[in-house]
Amino acid sequence: MPALPPAVSVIMPVLDEERHLRNSVRHILEQEYEGEMEVVIALGPSTDRTDEIAAELVRETASHPRATVRTVPNPTGRTPAALNAAIKASRHPVVVRVDGHGMLSPDYIATAVRLLAETGAQNVGGIMHAEGENDWENAVAAAMTSKIGVGNAAFHTGGEAGPAETVYLGVFRREALEQQGGYNEEFIRAQDWELNFRIREAGGGIWFSPELRVQYRPRPSVRALAKQYKDYGRWRRVVARYHSGSINLRYLAPPTAVCAIAAGIIVGAVLTPWGLIVPAGYLAAIAAGSVPAGKGLPLKARLQIPVALATMHMSWGYGFLTSPRSLAKKVIASRRPAVRPTVEA
C-alpha cells in the first residue's frame, strides 16, 4: 500500500472577503489530494459578513473526512501578521498560502507537493490567473496578464518552469518559514517578495511552474486598483532599500514613465508643445498594447484596458517615487523572528 502524501496546512489571511471566502474554501476542500489537510483562516477586523461565513465553514467541516477549518484572530488586519498567526496555529510540514479571493485549480496542492519533492525548492508557485466578473474587472485582468502591463513577471504572464525571484502566494516547506522567522510584519505589501528574497539569500530555491494556477479576482474599481498599485510601488521601494541589489530595470520602468510624462506635460505647457510628445507617445503605446491584450473580450471591456494600464503604471510609479524613508527605518527596527521553530522535547 503506497504511503500517503504529506499533510498540508492551508493558511488564509482574510479581511472583508464576504464576496469570495466560501467559494475560495470550497476550492480547497475539493482538492484532488489524498493527504490530510487543515485550513487556518486568520480573521482581520472585517466590516462585512466575513466572520459569520468563516464560523459557518468551521461548523460545516467539523465532520469532513480529511480536512478541517479553524480560525485565529488577526486584530491588526495586516496581511503579514495574519499569515504569521496562521502559520503559528498550523501544524503540518507543507504550508500553502491562499488568499480569501483566490480559487485554487483542482490539482494545485497535489502538483505543488510533487514539485517540492522533484525540485528540492523551499517554495513553489505558479500563475496568478486574473479573471473578472464584469467588463471593468475583465479589463484589469487583461492588463495584469499582458507584458505591457507587468513586464516579464512570469507569475502574471506565464512562461517556462524554472527558478524564480518570487512566485504568487507560494507552497512552502515549513522549515523554510521557521528558519526565516516567517513574514516581516512591517511589510504591509511586498511581504512575499521580501520573504522569498531572504529564502534565496539563505541558499533556498524558489520555483515557478505554469502547472500551478490560482484564479484571482481583480479590484472592482479604478480607485481600488490605484490604491493597490500605489501600495505595491511604495513597498517595493522599501524592499529595495532594505535589501540592496534587489531592484532591476523592470521595477524602474513605472517611476521613469511617471517622471518622463510629468516633465513632458510641464515642458509642453510652459515652453513648447513638443514636450507633449512624451505623454502622447505613452498614450499611443498603451492604446496599441491594449489591442492584443483585449482579444476576445467585449468592446466595453476592451475600451477600458488603457485606463487599467495607465492606472497600474502611474500608481505604481507614484508610490515608488513617494515612498518615505521612514518606512525602511521601521522595517529594519522590526527585524525579529515572527514564527519560532518548534523545538522537540
Side-chain angles (χ1 to χ4, degrees):
M1 181 176 176
L4 288 176
V8 166
S9 297
V10 181
I11 59 171
M12 301 183 71
V14 169
L15 179 69
D16 291 329
E17 290 289 0
E18 173 186 14
R19 183 180 172 193
H20 300 299
L21 180 59
R22 179 173 289 279
N23 197 25
S24 182
V25 172
R26 179 179 64 81
H27 278 75
I28 297 168
L29 298 179
E30 294 179 357
Q31 285 290 294
E32 298 168 358
Y33 188 67
E34 296 300 320
E36 182 184 351
M37 292 192 297
E38 64 174 355
V39 181
V40 182
I41 303 174
L43 294 171
S46 296
T47 58
D48 60 9
R49 294 184 60 253
T50 296
D51 288 12
E52 182 181 335
I53 292 169
E56 292 172 357
L57 290 167
V58 171
R59 291 193 298 269
E60 292 166 7
T61 59
S63 59
H64 194 280
R66 58 186 182 85
T68 58
V69 176
R70 294 184 287 117
T71 63
V72 293
N74 173 35
T76 70
R78 291 184 172 188
T79 298
L83 291 166
N84 284 339
I87 293 167
K88 185 176 180 181
S90 65
R91 54 196 173 90
H92 294 321
V94 176
V95 179
V96 181
R97 175 182 171 177
V98 181
D99 286 346
H101 47 271
M103 314 295 165
L104 301 184
S105 55
D107 63 344
Y108 181 88
I109 291 178
T111 302
V113 170
R114 172 176 60 81
L115 289 171
L116 284 174
E118 290 177 354
T119 66
Q122 300 296 312
N123 181 21
V124 300
I127 293 175
M128 179 183 181
H129 180 61
E131 187 174 300
E133 296 181 322
N134 54 46
D135 288 327
W136 165 251
E137 290 180 2
N138 285 329
V140 176
M144 292 178 69
T145 54
S146 69
K147 289 190 175 182
I148 193 173
V150 294
N152 62 350
F155 69 85
H156 281 297
T157 61
E160 295 184 1
E165 288 185 345
T166 191
V167 290
Y168 179 54
L169 300 180
V171 178
F172 299 83
R173 299 179 189 271
R174 177 176 292 275
E175 61 262 29
L177 294 172
E178 293 179 341
Q179 180 186 19
Q180 294 303 321
Y183 292 84
N184 188 319
E185 295 186 10
E186 289 297 322
F187 279 89
I188 298 174
R189 299 286 185 186
Q191 66 274 157
D192 292 315
W193 206 103
E194 195 274 338
L195 173 60
N196 285 320
F197 183 89
R198 283 188 279 129
I199 290 174
R200 288 188 289 109
E201 286 290 285
I206 310 298
W207 188 266
F208 165 81
S209 173
E211 293 182 78
L212 298 171
R213 294 170 68 88
V214 181
Q215 190 181 87
Y216 168 86
R217 296 297 186 210
R219 294 298 193 269
S221 67
V222 174
R223 182 177 180 180
L225 183 68
K227 183 182 184 305
Q228 177 187 22
Y229 273 77
K230 183 191 76 172
D231 287 345
Y232 283 167
R234 185 185 197 194
W235 285 95
R236 188 61 188 83
R237 181 77 176 273
V238 177
V239 176
R241 290 184 182 128
Y242 185 52
H243 297 297
S244 60
S246 66
I247 203 72
N248 59 42
L249 292 178
R250 176 165 67 89
Y251 296 111
L252 296 176
T256 301
V258 170
C259 291
I261 290 169
I265 292 173
I266 293 171
V267 170
V270 176
L271 299 177
T272 170
W274 288 105
L276 298 176
I277 289 178
V278 174
Y282 172 76
L283 292 175
I286 62 173
S290 297
V291 175
K295 186 177 181 180
L297 292 179
L299 177 61
K300 190 174 180 181
R302 295 202 304 271
L303 292 175
Q304 295 181 82
I305 295 175
V307 178
L309 286 170
T311 301
M312 290 161 57
H313 294 162
M314 296 299 102
S315 299
W316 204 103
Y318 176 79
F320 188 92
L321 291 168
T322 60
S323 177
R325 286 192 170 274
S326 59
L327 288 177
K329 292 177 182 177
K330 292 178 182 177
V331 167
I332 292 170
S334 73
R335 191 68 176 93
R336 299 183 302 272
V339 178
R340 303 283 183 185
T342 301
V343 179
E344 296 290 342

